[in-house]
Amino acid sequence: MKTFNKTLLSLTMIGFGLFSTNLLGAQGVRFTIVDGDVSQKYAKMISTSLEDTGFVLSDPHERINDAYAKRYGNPEDPDYDKDEWNVNLDNLGFYTIAHDEKLNKLLKVAPELGGFSPFNHLIYKNKSENKTYVGHLDPNTMLDIVGVKDSNVREEFVSLFDPLDKWITDELGGEVKTTTFDSLSAKPMMTYEFEFDRPEDITEFTATFQEEFEAAFEENKYIIAGFKDFKEGYEDLEMEFEEYDAYWVYSLCHFTFSYNMFNKGRPDTGVFAPCSMYMYIKEGTNKLVIGMPKLSNWIAVGSVKDRAKIEWTKKIDSEIMSIMKSLGAREI
């Protein structure tokens, strides 16, 4: 049984293209930039005192750059990148977090929030400069991507980030900078419905579907990087969540894609990784609703111009949609 918490160019060279001061642009990513390498300090604080902010850590993935070196930088590995391997990162870490307590109320009226619940609190350091970057996607942009328009939900969700950001500033110091971008694509989400014959015990369906889902993605070389079961978690916390018979979120990663994006000049786009795909069944229904932010958002929000990276994201978006359709999900 899965459980609730189971589960090269430096930015200086990228320069004004990343940290734009254009006040007309939408806010993209909030980065705290600290002199030196604060990787160990950050890892300790997020594992010991994050809950002081109300957020909970679910699936930490520390030092992903070491895994890149072991696989793509190893001449003995079949995936060795003999043409382009370079050690471009001193550190790259993904820490997926969510404010479980406050989300209990918000998910009931805006289940789409699962597209960024949990979301990645990113840390990275380029080898080419003595600075550490810690940050997350702007919450308003999260809301714009998943399509939440309710002003009360938006206000409450955005307010969750104030204690988190203050905690980072108080603990790490540094300089805060926020990226900007022009616009999102017309359809930033992929959404599906899956109708099924409802058994007496809904877990008979969910267990079978999860097994088939995981097998399909793993067969296509994706990693199930995390799993968060909100329904089960709220039962454990004795918090009412009766609006749903099931609600869970997968974290997906395509390792080769991530290597070609993050170790080749754009570790900042790691705020989107791993991709959160939410799935829920409304109480008493026979319909599984599925949603995930498209990887095209990485290109829009990150102002990515590199043609190879753009083509990669299109390929992954298309592939994920094909896998979902092969499972019998209907695009909506």
Side-chain angles (χ1 to χ4, degrees):
M1 175 66 70
K2 297 182 177 72
T3 60
F4 193 45
N5 288 323
K6 169 193 167 191
T7 46
L8 184 270
L9 292 174
S10 70
L11 286 178
T12 302
M13 295 172 69
I14 293 171
F16 295 108
L18 181 58
F19 291 123
S20 169
T21 57
N22 179 6
L23 297 179
L24 297 178
Q27 292 191 336
V29 182
R30 184 189 194 276
F31 279 115
T32 298
I33 307 171
V34 187
D35 288 336
D37 189 344
V38 297
S39 302
Q40 291 186 353
K41 180 178 181 179
Y42 172 84
K44 181 179 179 179
M45 59 187 265
I46 203 167
S47 63
T48 60
S49 58
L50 173 67
E51 293 189 15
D52 294 343
T53 70
F55 283 86
V56 177
L57 177 65
S58 53
D59 293 290
H61 296 281
E62 301 180 17
R63 298 196 60 81
I64 297 169
N65 52 299
D66 290 344
Y68 292 157
K70 184 176 180 181
R71 181 169 176 180
Y72 304 105
N74 178 9
E76 303 302 318
D77 193 287
D79 289 328
Y80 174 53
D81 188 356
K82 64 181 185 336
D83 295 322
E84 295 188 41
W85 167 251
N86 282 296
V87 179
N88 295 324
L89 294 168
D90 283 332
N91 186 34
L92 177 69
F94 296 164
Y95 295 84
T96 49
I97 65 175
H99 199 306
D100 297 341
E101 182 179 351
K102 295 293 180 66
L103 280 170
N104 177 263
K105 171 186 174 182
L106 298 178
L107 286 172
K108 294 174 183 179
V109 294
E112 301 86 357
L113 289 173
F116 289 104
S117 299
F119 65 90
N120 185 19
H121 206 267
L122 172 71
I123 181 171
Y124 73 89
K125 181 182 179 300
N126 287 307
K127 197 171 186 63
S128 60
E129 60 178 343
N130 195 29
K131 294 180 183 293
T132 304
Y133 295 77
V134 177
H136 60 79
L137 191 64
D138 181 86
N140 283 291
T141 298
M142 295 181 188
L143 294 165
D144 291 341
I145 289 172
V146 299
V148 173
K149 300 187 183 302
D150 184 295
S151 59
N152 291 327
V153 173
R154 291 182 68 97
E155 182 178 352
E156 289 191 42
F157 184 74
V158 171
S159 71
L160 301 180
F161 289 75
D162 293 337
L164 176 66
D165 294 338
K166 182 178 185 301
W167 173 66
I168 290 293
T169 300
D170 290 347
E171 294 291 330
L172 296 181
E175 179 183 9
V176 175
K177 289 189 176 182
T178 303
T179 71
T180 62
F181 67 100
D182 293 332
S183 63
L184 297 171
S185 62
K187 192 176 180 182
M189 292 288 292
M190 56 179 78
T191 52
Y192 302 90
E193 288 182 349
F194 185 97
E195 293 191 17
F196 59 94
D197 294 328
R198 187 181 173 102
E200 183 175 343
D201 182 357
I202 196 66
T203 61
E204 293 180 14
F205 164 74
T206 58
T208 299
F209 182 85
Q210 287 170 7
E211 289 177 6
E212 293 177 353
F213 173 90
E214 292 172 18
F217 274 89
E218 289 169 353
E219 184 179 342
N220 284 275
K221 303 188 182 304
Y222 288 80
I223 297 171
I224 307 299
F227 180 91
K228 191 174 183 80
D229 190 327
F230 278 103
K231 177 67 175 179
E232 183 177 294
Y234 286 134
E235 290 175 357
D236 292 342
L237 293 172
E238 298 183 347
M239 298 183 72
E240 187 274 325
F241 202 57
E242 296 305 315
E243 288 79 2
Y244 301 98
D245 287 331
Y247 192 117
W248 68 84
V249 180
Y250 276 109
S251 297
L252 298 175
C253 174
H254 190 289
F255 203 61
T256 302
F257 167 77
S258 76
Y259 159 70
N260 280 283
M261 181 67 79
F262 307 142
N263 194 59
K264 296 184 179 180
R266 294 308 303 265
D268 56 295
T269 58
V271 293
F272 283 99
C275 299
S276 290
M277 179 182 284
Y278 64 84
M279 303 184 183
Y280 65 84
I281 302 170
K282 284 280 193 179
E283 183 184 20
T285 69
N286 67 331
K287 189 179 294 183
L288 178 68
V289 180
I290 304 165
M292 190 186 97
K294 291 181 178 178
L295 277 80
S296 60
N297 296 301
W298 301 31
I299 302 303
V301 176
S303 301
V304 176
K305 306 300 182 185
D306 182 272
R307 178 51 54 184
K309 291 180 173 57
I310 293 172
E311 292 304 316
W312 252 111
T313 60
K314 289 180 179 178
K315 177 180 181 294
I316 297 296
D317 273 340
S318 178
E319 192 168 71
I320 291 173
M321 290 188 281
S322 294
I323 295 171
M324 293 307 298
K325 290 177 182 178
S326 74
L327 289 168
R330 179 178 65 87
E331 188 174 7
I332 57 175

